[in-house]
Amino acid sequence: MEYAGRMAASLPYVLITVGFYLHYHHLNKPYETFLNLSVGVFSIIIAWFLGKQFDKARYLLKVLAYNNTILLENECQLLQQQEQLELVIDNVNASIWHLDLSTNRVIVSKGTECLYGYSKKEFKQEPMLWKKVVHPDDKTIIESSEKELFEGNITSREYRIIQKDGETKWVRGIIKPLVDSSGEITNLIGMTIDINDQKITGESIKYLAYYDQLTDLPNRNYLFTCFCEKLEECKQQNLQLAILFMDLDSFKMVNDTMGYLAGDHFLQEVAKRLKSCVGEQDLLARLGGDEFIVLMNAADREQVELAVQRIQDVISSFILLKKEKIYSSISIGISLFPNDGEDIQQLLRKADQAMYSAKKQGKNNFQFYTTALDAVHQRKMDLEMGLRTAIEKNELFLQYQPQVELETGEIKGAEALLRWHHPKFGNVSPVEFISIAEESGVILHVGKWVLQTACKQIKRWQERGIFIKVSVNVSPLQFKDKQFVEILKQTLLENQLSPEFLAIEITESVMQNVKESSIILNELKKLGIKIAMDDFGTGYSSLSVLSRLPIDYVKIDRSFVKDVITNTTVATLVRTIINMGNNLNFQLIAEGIETKEQAAFIFKNGCRFGQGYYYSRPIPAEDLEALFHKQDPTIRII
Ligand code: C2E
Ligand code: MG
Ligand code: MG
């Protein structure tokens, strides 16, 4: 009976134990099951043997059961947390993975499937799949990361992967090695994040910051960054670096006469041609406008000269713009590191000075920097500064060169030529300062003053009985200026001047855009003023093109007249120009007549007017007045 009672008393504990067993069995936890079974059996034994101490045993069992309940609750919580964690991991917009290096077993999160396009199963089957899909160009990035990883460091790298559908994507992979107690790396856990959008935005920001969008060439920022690196490299390796500063000779004209769009095409074509001339190690950049820079690695003077030759050759062949052949040339200045300077600013400035000097030598030229150029540069700066205040300070004045009828030697007109008496440099030639005025834009202001002064003079002469036509040189920049026609109208009105006494001299460069120029010329024609094509023969326009425009006078350039007696080819050329010009009904003026022979040749061949030192140098207005009254018969040819 007692035995049965004891059995009965221990029954609840047996049931609890079986309950635990079933529970843990279900959870596949054999260790805990065994523990609870032992607890149950142990409680039966205690109940059996302690008899009277049954209550105590029951108490003990209660404690044990209580502990087991807590154990159970903790286990449940753990499982719950694990499930939650899995839920979180699967919902993270990234690939999270774990690789057991000893078994090569890989566990990946759901995000991995989205990122790579491969399923969890495919990853499990091929544990190294994540590495296989790395873009071939970025494999080295992964290799370098692995090296770090197996030194026990966390690595973080940006690289491209190729998704299952073949798309390329930028990702950032972060990997942590896990080590066991012996310090050996046993597992890797990692996270791969999609950074494609960010990277593309970043790349385009970088592109905007470092590349010129028009030509696709590196820009000023890129140049400066790269320049620093190159200088350091050259310093360390004792190498020479050549800096080529290049400036197109006629870009301003193209831009001004053909429009910005055509100017853009022009620059794109130039950039393309320049690219074909530089080596892989060299850097070609667009500094801005029509200025380009080449950094030539380890180049000696001979190599530089060869490169310069190549560049000038490719630029000098024509560029087709709006179906017209545009000829161009480029001036190049060169400075050398370490000879000419140690820092970027210095080297660039010196290459720029050399370029300016090359331009002054007649364009399509090149020049290495020499210390003598410092003075030239200083002069240019002084002139540029001085020009801004030259009018206010009364430093500018006009001289007039008579234009005569060759047959009679009578003065029929005069060309107004600008003069500048600089306080420091004395008389400065317009050949030097007009280009500076054009570069800085001051020409618009100066040109307006010239026009105003010349018109006042015409009026003054008329009041004194001298009725001659005065021609004024007009820069292409003025010609292109939207207010130009209005300025002319206004000036004529203010001076109450009849328009036929005023002529403007334009150069062939405005012919770069015949269509646009003809609109302006027709407006000028409507005003009633005369138009002369200056320096004919030096540019690329033909008389037949000019015949379509309302041009009255064609001035045969001085360079032809100079050789007309001594060079038979030139003589033939001049004869042809005169014949054609007459046939096209232009009035012809020969420039730069210095001798009686030249005058005779020109006249004999049918040119009606002439201008040159033979008749008179450019002189002050009062002197021309005196000359006009004298009308020296000795200057007649026949
Ligand atoms: P240009 O319009 O062709 O002017 C003729 C130039 O030839 C003048 O030089 C004149 O002094 C020079 N010349 C005339 N006859 C002879 C000669 O027989 N022999 C030689 N060797 N030279 C002769 P200048 O005055 O030095 O002007 C040079 C250029 O500067 C002008 O060439 C013109 O393009 C430009 N220029 C002068 N004044 C102005 C101006 O007011 N505005 C603009 N935009 N340009 C001007
Ligand atoms: Mg002229
Ligand atoms: Mg001329």
Side-chain angles (χ1 to χ4, degrees), residues 79-112:
L79 276 166
Q80 247 175 10
Q81 279 173 2
Q82 194 175 326
E83 272 169 17
Q84 278 171 357
L85 205 66
E86 263 181 43
L87 201 74
V88 171
I89 285 172
D90 273 347
N91 278 291
V92 169
N93 196 11
S95 155
I96 297 171
W97 53 268
H98 172 266
L99 174 66
D100 185 333
L101 289 170
S102 56
T103 61
N104 247 359
R105 252 179 65 118
V106 71
I107 302 169
V108 297
S109 71
K110 209 169 175 179
T112 312

mmCIF file of all heavy atoms in Angstrom, residues 79-112:
data_model
loop_
_atom_site.group_PDB
_atom_site.id
_atom_site.type_symbol
_atom_site.label_atom_id
_atom_site.label_comp_id
_atom_site.label_asym_id
_atom_site.label_seq_id
_atom_site.Cartn_x
_atom_site.Cartn_y
_atom_site.Cartn_z
ATOM 1 N N LEU A 79 14.350 31.420 -29.219
ATOM 2 C CA LEU A 79 13.846 31.037 -30.537
ATOM 3 C C LEU A 79 13.081 32.172 -31.202
ATOM 4 O O LEU A 79 13.213 32.446 -32.386
ATOM 5 C CB LEU A 79 12.921 29.828 -30.395
ATOM 6 C CG LEU A 79 13.671 28.517 -30.365
ATOM 7 C CD1 LEU A 79 12.761 27.421 -29.877
ATOM 8 C CD2 LEU A 79 14.208 28.193 -31.747
ATOM 9 N N GLN A 80 12.299 32.829 -30.343
ATOM 10 C CA GLN A 80 11.521 33.956 -30.846
ATOM 11 C C GLN A 80 12.451 35.033 -31.410
ATOM 12 O O GLN A 80 12.255 35.552 -32.506
ATOM 13 C CB GLN A 80 10.714 34.570 -29.706
ATOM 14 C CG GLN A 80 9.239 34.369 -29.901
ATOM 15 C CD GLN A 80 8.470 34.879 -28.694
ATOM 16 O OE1 GLN A 80 9.032 35.544 -27.819
ATOM 17 N NE2 GLN A 80 7.215 34.529 -28.627
ATOM 18 N N GLN A 81 13.515 35.300 -30.608
ATOM 19 C CA GLN A 81 14.467 36.328 -31.032
ATOM 20 C C GLN A 81 15.139 35.929 -32.343
ATOM 21 O O GLN A 81 15.348 36.740 -33.235
ATOM 22 C CB GLN A 81 15.542 36.523 -29.967
ATOM 23 C CG GLN A 81 15.052 37.412 -28.842
ATOM 24 C CD GLN A 81 16.031 37.493 -27.701
ATOM 25 O OE1 GLN A 81 17.110 36.912 -27.751
ATOM 26 N NE2 GLN A 81 15.647 38.193 -26.660
ATOM 27 N N GLN A 82 15.461 34.629 -32.399
ATOM 28 C CA GLN A 82 16.120 34.137 -33.611
ATOM 29 C C GLN A 82 15.222 34.336 -34.831
ATOM 30 O O GLN A 82 15.657 34.793 -35.880
ATOM 31 C CB GLN A 82 16.437 32.672 -33.432
ATOM 32 C CG GLN A 82 17.408 32.165 -34.479
ATOM 33 C CD GLN A 82 17.794 30.729 -34.201
ATOM 34 O OE1 GLN A 82 17.898 30.331 -33.033
ATOM 35 N NE2 GLN A 82 17.996 29.959 -35.241
ATOM 36 N N GLU A 83 13.935 34.031 -34.613
ATOM 37 C CA GLU A 83 12.993 34.195 -35.717
ATOM 38 C C GLU A 83 12.875 35.658 -36.125
ATOM 39 O O GLU A 83 12.878 36.012 -37.298
ATOM 40 C CB GLU A 83 11.606 33.682 -35.317
ATOM 41 C CG GLU A 83 11.454 32.209 -35.594
ATOM 42 C CD GLU A 83 10.192 31.636 -34.947
ATOM 43 O OE1 GLU A 83 9.303 32.425 -34.580
ATOM 44 O OE2 GLU A 83 10.124 30.408 -34.796
ATOM 45 N N GLN A 84 12.820 36.516 -35.064
ATOM 46 C CA GLN A 84 12.701 37.948 -35.350
ATOM 47 C C GLN A 84 13.929 38.441 -36.120
ATOM 48 O O GLN A 84 13.838 39.205 -37.075
ATOM 49 C CB GLN A 84 12.569 38.747 -34.051
ATOM 50 C CG GLN A 84 11.151 38.733 -33.538
ATOM 51 C CD GLN A 84 11.048 39.318 -32.147
ATOM 52 O OE1 GLN A 84 12.069 39.689 -31.556
ATOM 53 N NE2 GLN A 84 9.859 39.362 -31.617
ATOM 54 N N LEU A 85 15.081 37.948 -35.645
ATOM 55 C CA LEU A 85 16.332 38.340 -36.281
ATOM 56 C C LEU A 85 16.353 37.942 -37.756
ATOM 57 O O LEU A 85 16.721 38.718 -38.633
ATOM 58 C CB LEU A 85 17.504 37.675 -35.551
ATOM 59 C CG LEU A 85 18.824 38.408 -35.685
ATOM 60 C CD1 LEU A 85 18.743 39.757 -34.998
ATOM 61 C CD2 LEU A 85 19.940 37.576 -35.068
ATOM 62 N N GLU A 86 15.915 36.726 -37.994
ATOM 63 C CA GLU A 86 15.869 36.235 -39.368
ATOM 64 C C GLU A 86 14.943 37.094 -40.226
ATOM 65 O O GLU A 86 15.248 37.430 -41.356
ATOM 66 C CB GLU A 86 15.380 34.793 -39.397
ATOM 67 C CG GLU A 86 16.550 33.822 -39.465
ATOM 68 C CD GLU A 86 16.071 32.386 -39.514
ATOM 69 O OE1 GLU A 86 15.107 32.102 -40.251
ATOM 70 O OE2 GLU A 86 16.670 31.598 -38.781
ATOM 71 N N LEU A 87 13.823 37.476 -39.570
ATOM 72 C CA LEU A 87 12.854 38.320 -40.256
ATOM 73 C C LEU A 87 13.485 39.657 -40.628
ATOM 74 O O LEU A 87 13.365 40.157 -41.751
ATOM 75 C CB LEU A 87 11.649 38.544 -39.338
ATOM 76 C CG LEU A 87 10.364 38.965 -40.037
ATOM 77 C CD1 LEU A 87 9.767 37.779 -40.771
ATOM 78 C CD2 LEU A 87 9.387 39.514 -39.014
ATOM 79 N N VAL A 88 14.211 40.193 -39.632
ATOM 80 C CA VAL A 88 14.864 41.486 -39.859
ATOM 81 C C VAL A 88 15.908 41.354 -40.963
ATOM 82 O O VAL A 88 15.931 42.117 -41.924
ATOM 83 C CB VAL A 88 15.526 42.002 -38.556
ATOM 84 C CG1 VAL A 88 16.385 43.227 -38.846
ATOM 85 C CG2 VAL A 88 14.462 42.336 -37.529
ATOM 86 N N ILE A 89 16.749 40.333 -40.820
ATOM 87 C CA ILE A 89 17.837 40.145 -41.791
ATOM 88 C C ILE A 89 17.280 39.976 -43.198
ATOM 89 O O ILE A 89 17.776 40.561 -44.153
ATOM 90 C CB ILE A 89 18.711 38.930 -41.381
ATOM 91 C CG1 ILE A 89 19.581 39.335 -40.203
ATOM 92 C CG2 ILE A 89 19.579 38.455 -42.538
ATOM 93 C CD1 ILE A 89 20.350 38.215 -39.580
ATOM 94 N N ASP A 90 16.210 39.208 -43.300
ATOM 95 C CA ASP A 90 15.632 38.984 -44.616
ATOM 96 C C ASP A 90 14.998 40.237 -45.189
ATOM 97 O O ASP A 90 14.815 40.359 -46.387
ATOM 98 C CB ASP A 90 14.600 37.854 -44.562
ATOM 99 C CG ASP A 90 15.292 36.507 -44.752
ATOM 100 O OD1 ASP A 90 16.472 36.514 -45.165
ATOM 101 O OD2 ASP A 90 14.666 35.475 -44.479
ATOM 102 N N ASN A 91 14.632 41.142 -44.281
ATOM 103 C CA ASN A 91 14.004 42.362 -44.781
ATOM 104 C C ASN A 91 14.986 43.512 -44.984
ATOM 105 O O ASN A 91 14.592 44.580 -45.437
ATOM 106 C CB ASN A 91 12.874 42.798 -43.849
ATOM 107 C CG ASN A 91 11.631 41.996 -44.170
ATOM 108 O OD1 ASN A 91 11.037 42.163 -45.223
ATOM 109 N ND2 ASN A 91 11.296 41.060 -43.291
ATOM 110 N N VAL A 92 16.244 43.267 -44.624
ATOM 111 C CA VAL A 92 17.249 44.307 -44.837
ATOM 112 C C VAL A 92 17.529 44.398 -46.331
ATOM 113 O O VAL A 92 17.652 43.376 -47.002
ATOM 114 C CB VAL A 92 18.558 43.977 -44.076
ATOM 115 C CG1 VAL A 92 19.681 44.898 -44.520
ATOM 116 C CG2 VAL A 92 18.335 44.097 -42.591
ATOM 117 N N ASN A 93 17.601 45.644 -46.812
ATOM 118 C CA ASN A 93 17.824 45.837 -48.242
ATOM 119 C C ASN A 93 19.304 45.689 -48.565
ATOM 120 O O ASN A 93 19.964 46.609 -49.030
ATOM 121 C CB ASN A 93 17.318 47.230 -48.622
ATOM 122 C CG ASN A 93 17.152 47.359 -50.112
ATOM 123 O OD1 ASN A 93 17.209 46.359 -50.825
ATOM 124 N ND2 ASN A 93 16.962 48.572 -50.584
ATOM 125 N N ALA A 94 19.845 44.555 -48.242
ATOM 126 C CA ALA A 94 21.264 44.278 -48.487
ATOM 127 C C ALA A 94 21.451 42.777 -48.423
ATOM 128 O O ALA A 94 20.573 42.048 -47.955
ATOM 129 C CB ALA A 94 22.110 44.937 -47.408
ATOM 130 N N SER A 95 22.598 42.345 -48.898
ATOM 131 C CA SER A 95 22.883 40.914 -48.819
ATOM 132 C C SER A 95 23.708 40.653 -47.564
ATOM 133 O O SER A 95 24.756 41.280 -47.361
ATOM 134 C CB SER A 95 23.661 40.501 -50.062
ATOM 135 O OG SER A 95 24.427 39.362 -49.784
ATOM 136 N N ILE A 96 23.188 39.764 -46.707
ATOM 137 C CA ILE A 96 23.951 39.396 -45.510
ATOM 138 C C ILE A 96 24.265 37.914 -45.641
ATOM 139 O O ILE A 96 23.393 37.124 -46.008
ATOM 140 C CB ILE A 96 23.152 39.692 -44.231
ATOM 141 C CG1 ILE A 96 22.908 41.205 -44.156
ATOM 142 C CG2 ILE A 96 23.895 39.209 -42.988
ATOM 143 C CD1 ILE A 96 21.975 41.635 -43.082
ATOM 144 N N TRP A 97 25.489 37.564 -45.391
ATOM 145 C CA TRP A 97 25.865 36.169 -45.621
ATOM 146 C C TRP A 97 26.866 35.682 -44.575
ATOM 147 O O TRP A 97 27.536 36.483 -43.909
ATOM 148 C CB TRP A 97 26.394 35.964 -47.029
ATOM 149 C CG TRP A 97 27.504 36.908 -47.406
ATOM 150 C CD1 TRP A 97 27.365 38.097 -48.027
ATOM 151 C CD2 TRP A 97 28.903 36.735 -47.161
ATOM 152 N NE1 TRP A 97 28.569 38.699 -48.197
ATOM 153 C CE2 TRP A 97 29.544 37.867 -47.680
ATOM 154 C CE3 TRP A 97 29.675 35.741 -46.562
ATOM 155 C CZ2 TRP A 97 30.915 38.037 -47.617
ATOM 156 C CZ3 TRP A 97 31.051 35.908 -46.506
ATOM 157 C CH2 TRP A 97 31.661 37.055 -47.031
ATOM 158 N N HIS A 98 26.939 34.370 -44.485
ATOM 159 C CA HIS A 98 27.852 33.755 -43.535
ATOM 160 C C HIS A 98 28.517 32.587 -44.245
ATOM 161 O O HIS A 98 27.857 31.769 -44.895
ATOM 162 C CB HIS A 98 27.060 33.269 -42.311
ATOM 163 C CG HIS A 98 27.894 32.452 -41.380
ATOM 164 N ND1 HIS A 98 27.937 31.088 -41.440
ATOM 165 C CD2 HIS A 98 28.725 32.822 -40.384
ATOM 166 C CE1 HIS A 98 28.772 30.632 -40.505
ATOM 167 N NE2 HIS A 98 29.267 31.670 -39.853
ATOM 168 N N LEU A 99 29.844 32.515 -44.142
ATOM 169 C CA LEU A 99 30.553 31.426 -44.803
ATOM 170 C C LEU A 99 31.404 30.691 -43.783
ATOM 171 O O LEU A 99 32.241 31.298 -43.096
ATOM 172 C CB LEU A 99 31.439 31.995 -45.932
ATOM 173 C CG LEU A 99 32.354 31.011 -46.636
ATOM 174 C CD1 LEU A 99 31.563 29.970 -47.432
ATOM 175 C CD2 LEU A 99 33.301 31.754 -47.582
ATOM 176 N N ASP A 100 31.123 29.390 -43.659
ATOM 177 C CA ASP A 100 31.921 28.545 -42.769
ATOM 178 C C ASP A 100 33.092 28.027 -43.597
ATOM 179 O O ASP A 100 32.901 27.253 -44.552
ATOM 180 C CB ASP A 100 31.031 27.395 -42.273
ATOM 181 C CG ASP A 100 31.769 26.551 -41.243
ATOM 182 O OD1 ASP A 100 33.017 26.512 -41.309
ATOM 183 O OD2 ASP A 100 31.091 25.952 -40.384
ATOM 184 N N LEU A 101 34.272 28.470 -43.239
ATOM 185 C CA LEU A 101 35.421 28.151 -44.094
ATOM 186 C C LEU A 101 35.810 26.672 -44.040
ATOM 187 O O LEU A 101 36.373 26.133 -44.989
ATOM 188 C CB LEU A 101 36.623 29.018 -43.702
ATOM 189 C CG LEU A 101 36.477 30.497 -44.070
ATOM 190 C CD1 LEU A 101 37.590 31.316 -43.436
ATOM 191 C CD2 LEU A 101 36.473 30.687 -45.574
ATOM 192 N N SER A 102 35.471 26.015 -42.879
ATOM 193 C CA SER A 102 35.865 24.621 -42.766
ATOM 194 C C SER A 102 34.955 23.717 -43.618
ATOM 195 O O SER A 102 35.408 22.758 -44.221
ATOM 196 C CB SER A 102 35.841 24.188 -41.300
ATOM 197 O OG SER A 102 34.554 24.433 -40.794
ATOM 198 N N THR A 103 33.680 24.086 -43.712
ATOM 199 C CA THR A 103 32.760 23.232 -44.476
ATOM 200 C C THR A 103 32.392 23.836 -45.818
ATOM 201 O O THR A 103 31.759 23.187 -46.646
ATOM 202 C CB THR A 103 31.457 23.038 -43.683
ATOM 203 O OG1 THR A 103 30.881 24.337 -43.495
ATOM 204 C CG2 THR A 103 31.685 22.376 -42.350
ATOM 205 N N ASN A 104 32.772 25.141 -46.004
ATOM 206 C CA ASN A 104 32.380 25.887 -47.201
ATOM 207 C C ASN A 104 30.868 26.063 -47.300
ATOM 208 O O ASN A 104 30.325 26.289 -48.371
ATOM 209 C CB ASN A 104 32.894 25.196 -48.468
ATOM 210 C CG ASN A 104 33.940 26.064 -49.138
ATOM 211 O OD1 ASN A 104 34.242 27.159 -48.646
ATOM 212 N ND2 ASN A 104 34.511 25.567 -50.210
ATOM 213 N N ARG A 105 30.194 25.891 -46.143
ATOM 214 C CA ARG A 105 28.742 26.075 -46.127
ATOM 215 C C ARG A 105 28.431 27.560 -46.083
ATOM 216 O O ARG A 105 29.044 28.305 -45.313
ATOM 217 C CB ARG A 105 28.152 25.415 -44.880
ATOM 218 C CG ARG A 105 27.356 24.136 -45.195
ATOM 219 C CD ARG A 105 26.870 23.582 -43.899
ATOM 220 N NE ARG A 105 25.931 24.526 -43.293
ATOM 221 C CZ ARG A 105 24.670 24.259 -43.045
ATOM 222 N NH1 ARG A 105 24.200 23.066 -43.326
ATOM 223 N NH2 ARG A 105 23.880 25.141 -42.501
ATOM 224 N N VAL A 106 27.501 27.964 -46.926
ATOM 225 C CA VAL A 106 27.198 29.389 -46.976
ATOM 226 C C VAL A 106 25.716 29.616 -46.679
ATOM 227 O O VAL A 106 24.865 28.837 -47.088
ATOM 228 C CB VAL A 106 27.618 29.990 -48.342
ATOM 229 C CG1 VAL A 106 26.733 29.539 -49.477
ATOM 230 C CG2 VAL A 106 27.618 31.503 -48.301
ATOM 231 N N ILE A 107 25.444 30.585 -45.841
ATOM 232 C CA ILE A 107 24.053 30.955 -45.553
ATOM 233 C C ILE A 107 23.886 32.390 -46.037
ATOM 234 O O ILE A 107 24.724 33.252 -45.722
ATOM 235 C CB ILE A 107 23.760 30.901 -44.038
ATOM 236 C CG1 ILE A 107 24.048 29.495 -43.510
ATOM 237 C CG2 ILE A 107 22.328 31.303 -43.761
ATOM 238 C CD1 ILE A 107 24.047 29.411 -42.001
ATOM 239 N N VAL A 108 22.839 32.636 -46.815
ATOM 240 C CA VAL A 108 22.635 34.003 -47.303
ATOM 241 C C VAL A 108 21.248 34.502 -46.963
ATOM 242 O O VAL A 108 20.319 33.717 -46.786
ATOM 243 C CB VAL A 108 22.829 34.101 -48.840
ATOM 244 C CG1 VAL A 108 24.235 33.759 -49.256
ATOM 245 C CG2 VAL A 108 21.815 33.238 -49.579
ATOM 246 N N SER A 109 21.121 35.788 -46.839
ATOM 247 C CA SER A 109 19.814 36.372 -46.543
ATOM 248 C C SER A 109 19.016 36.530 -47.832
ATOM 249 O O SER A 109 19.563 36.423 -48.939
ATOM 250 C CB SER A 109 19.997 37.741 -45.899
ATOM 251 O OG SER A 109 20.464 38.643 -46.874
ATOM 252 N N LYS A 110 17.749 36.840 -47.631
ATOM 253 C CA LYS A 110 16.877 36.994 -48.795
ATOM 254 C C LYS A 110 17.335 38.149 -49.693
ATOM 255 O O LYS A 110 17.232 38.103 -50.913
ATOM 256 C CB LYS A 110 15.452 37.280 -48.289
ATOM 257 C CG LYS A 110 14.405 36.798 -49.238
ATOM 258 C CD LYS A 110 13.082 36.870 -48.554
ATOM 259 C CE LYS A 110 11.967 36.513 -49.516
ATOM 260 N NZ LYS A 110 10.692 36.567 -48.825
ATOM 261 N N GLY A 111 17.884 39.197 -49.042
ATOM 262 C CA GLY A 111 18.350 40.377 -49.782
ATOM 263 C C GLY A 111 19.414 40.024 -50.800
ATOM 264 O O GLY A 111 19.598 40.734 -51.798
ATOM 265 N N THR A 112 20.119 38.934 -50.539
ATOM 266 C CA THR A 112 21.170 38.496 -51.463
ATOM 267 C C THR A 112 20.569 38.153 -52.817
ATOM 268 O O THR A 112 21.131 38.472 -53.850
ATOM 269 C CB THR A 112 21.878 37.261 -50.868
ATOM 270 O OG1 THR A 112 22.187 37.552 -49.521
ATOM 271 C CG2 THR A 112 23.137 36.926 -51.629
#
